[in-house]
C-alpha cells in the first residue's frame, strides 16, 4: 500500500488530535472523560481502513514513554491499568469501523452515526472487561466502578452524534484537498 505525502500528513494530524484529545480531560475515576474517543472514531470515518495506522502510531508513542495517554500517562503501566482495555479498544474500533466504512458505500450522517455508536461497543467491551479484571485483582469495588462509568458512557454516546455530524463535511473537505 503506497501512501501519498498528503495522506501521511493527514494521518499525522489525526495522531496529533488523539494526543490533544487525551489532554482535554475530566479526571473521573476509574476512567476519565476525554476527547480521545471522538478522534478515534472520526479517524476511520474519514480514512477508512487506513485509520488503524494513525491509532497504532498513537499507541506506540505512548508505549515508548511519551506522555500521550489521558492524564499524561505512558508506557506499559498505562496499558496494565484500568484504562488499558480502552486503549486496545481504540485500535479494534478503528480497524473494524475502517473496514466497514470502506465497504459501506452509502454515506450519510445516519451511516456515520451507526458506525460511531458501533465503535463505542468495540471500545467499551475490551475496556470494561479489562477494567473489571484490574479492579478485581486489586480488590477495588468493581460494581462501584461500573456505576461510575455510566456517566462517561452517556457522554461518549453524545460525542458520537457530534462525530457523525462532523464526518460528512470533513470528508468533503478532504476530497477537495485531494482534487
Amino acid at each position: 500500500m503506497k501512501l501519498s505525502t498528503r495522506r501521511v500528513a493527514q494521518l499525522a494530524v489525526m495522531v496529533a488530535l488523539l494526543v490533544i484529545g487525551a489532554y482535554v480531560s475530566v479526571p473521573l475515576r476509574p476512567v476519565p472523560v476525554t476527547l480521545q474517543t471522538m478522534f478515534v472514531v472520526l479517524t476511520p470515518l474519514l480514512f477508512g481502513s487506513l485509520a488503524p495506522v494513525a491509532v497504532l502510531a498513537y499507541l506506540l508513542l505512548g508505549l515508548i514513554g511519551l506522555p500521550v495517554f489521558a492524564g499524561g500517562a505512558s508506557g506499559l503501566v498505562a496499558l496494565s491499568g484500568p484504562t488499558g482495555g480502552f486503549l486496545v479498544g481504540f485500535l479494534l474500533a478503528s480497524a473494524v469501523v475502517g473496514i466497514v466504512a470502506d465497504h459501506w458505500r452509502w454515506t450519510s450522517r445516519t451511516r456515520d452515526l451507526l458506525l460511531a455508536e458501533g465503535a463505542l461497543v468495540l471500545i467499551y467491551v475490551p475496556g470494561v472487561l479489562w477494567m473489571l479484571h484490574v479492579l478485581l485483582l486489586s480488590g477495588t469495588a468493581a460494581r462501584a466502578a461500573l456505576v461510575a462509568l455510566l456517566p462517561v458512557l452517556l457522554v461518549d454516546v453524545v460525542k458520537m452524534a457530534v462525530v457523525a455530524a462532523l464526518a460528512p463535511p470533513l470528508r468533503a473537505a478532504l476530497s477537495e484537498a485531494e482534487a
Side-chain angles (χ1 to χ4, degrees):
M1 158 183 18
K2 186 173 173 161
L3 296 177
S4 69
T5 303
R6 180 176 300 221
R7 185 60 64 172
V8 170
Q10 291 167 342
L11 290 170
V13 167
M14 294 312 293
V15 173
L17 288 172
L18 282 165
V19 172
I20 291 166
Y23 279 89
V24 179
S25 175
V26 177
L28 299 178
R29 293 284 172 223
V31 177
V33 175
T34 69
L35 292 183
Q36 287 172 297
T37 50
M38 285 183 69
F39 297 121
V40 164
V41 176
L42 186 60
T43 304
L45 294 180
L46 298 179
F47 300 103
S49 57
L50 287 176
V53 172
V55 175
L56 185 58
Y58 165 72
L59 293 173
L60 290 173
L61 289 174
L63 287 176
I64 64 170
L66 296 176
V68 298
F69 299 143
S74 66
L76 288 176
V77 173
L79 277 180
S80 63
T83 62
F86 291 95
L87 295 171
V88 171
F90 288 172
L91 187 59
L92 176 65
S94 70
V96 172
V97 171
I99 290 167
V100 172
D102 276 352
H103 291 89
W104 189 351
R105 293 294 171 203
W106 168 58
T107 56
S108 71
R109 285 194 174 120
T110 303
R111 169 226 186 222
D112 290 337
L113 183 61
L114 290 172
L115 289 175
E117 299 298 350
L120 276 186
V121 173
L122 296 169
I123 293 168
Y124 270 81
V125 167
V128 168
L129 291 175
W130 182 252
M131 182 187 74
L132 290 174
H133 168 73
V134 168
L135 294 177
L136 289 173
L137 286 179
S138 69
T140 305
R143 186 175 188 179
L146 283 177
V147 170
L149 194 60
L150 284 177
V152 177
L153 175 62
L154 294 174
V155 170
D156 275 344
V157 167
V158 171
K159 287 191 294 188
M160 294 306 103
V162 172
V163 167
L166 291 173
L170 289 173
R171 262 195 310 273
L174 288 171
S175 292
E176 287 177 20
E178 292 294 317

